């Protein structure tokens, strides 16, 4: 199921840094980290905006718009690099 998806939800529980983020990346899916105030590990060296989407709890109703915007920005960035 993960391999068929473009975006995979990674909701928080006690911690977001669970294996589900790694599993989504391994499946070729963009992890959608749902957590307020989350500072990801290695954020000082990894630009997570390149390979993940981070949303707060209040943004859940707007996920479709967030995904559409992410796709549009990614397509534009890739076009610039070509």
């Amino acid at each position: 199921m993960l391999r068929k998806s473009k975006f995979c939800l990674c909701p928080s529980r006690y911690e977001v840094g669970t294996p589900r983020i790694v599993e989504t990346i391994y499946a070729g899916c963009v992890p959608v980290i749902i957590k307020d105030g989350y500072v990801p590990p290695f954020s000082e060296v990894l630009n997570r905006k390149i390979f993940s989407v981070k949303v707060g709890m209040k943004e859940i109703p707007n996920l479709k718009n967030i995904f559409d915007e992410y796709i549009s920005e990614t397509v534009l960035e890739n076009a610039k690099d070509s």
Side-chain angles (χ1 to χ4, degrees), residues 19-32:
R20 73 179 73 133
I21 293 174
V22 175
E23 290 168 351
T24 60
I25 293 170
Y26 181 73
C29 194
V30 175
V32 180

Side-chain angles (χ1 to χ4, degrees), residues 3-75:
R3 290 190 175 139
K4 294 179 181 180
S5 303
K6 291 179 184 165
F7 296 95
C8 296
L9 301 180
C10 298
S12 64
R13 290 185 67 171
Y14 297 108
E15 292 187 29
V16 178
T18 63
R20 73 179 73 133
I21 293 174
V22 175
E23 290 168 351
T24 60
I25 293 170
Y26 181 73
C29 194
V30 175
V32 180
I33 302 168
I34 302 173
K35 175 79 173 171
D36 293 320
Y38 174 66
V39 178
F42 307 110
S43 59
E44 62 278 352
V45 289
L46 290 177
N47 183 358
R48 293 207 178 241
K49 290 181 181 179
I50 294 172
F51 62 89
S52 67
V53 177
K54 182 179 160 192
V55 297
M57 298 296 285
K58 292 181 181 179
E59 296 173 291
I60 291 173
N62 299 320
L63 281 178
K64 183 183 181 327
N65 295 334
I66 292 168
F67 297 158
D68 290 342
E69 183 178 318
Y70 180 87
I71 290 170
S72 296
E73 288 177 7
T74 304
V75 169

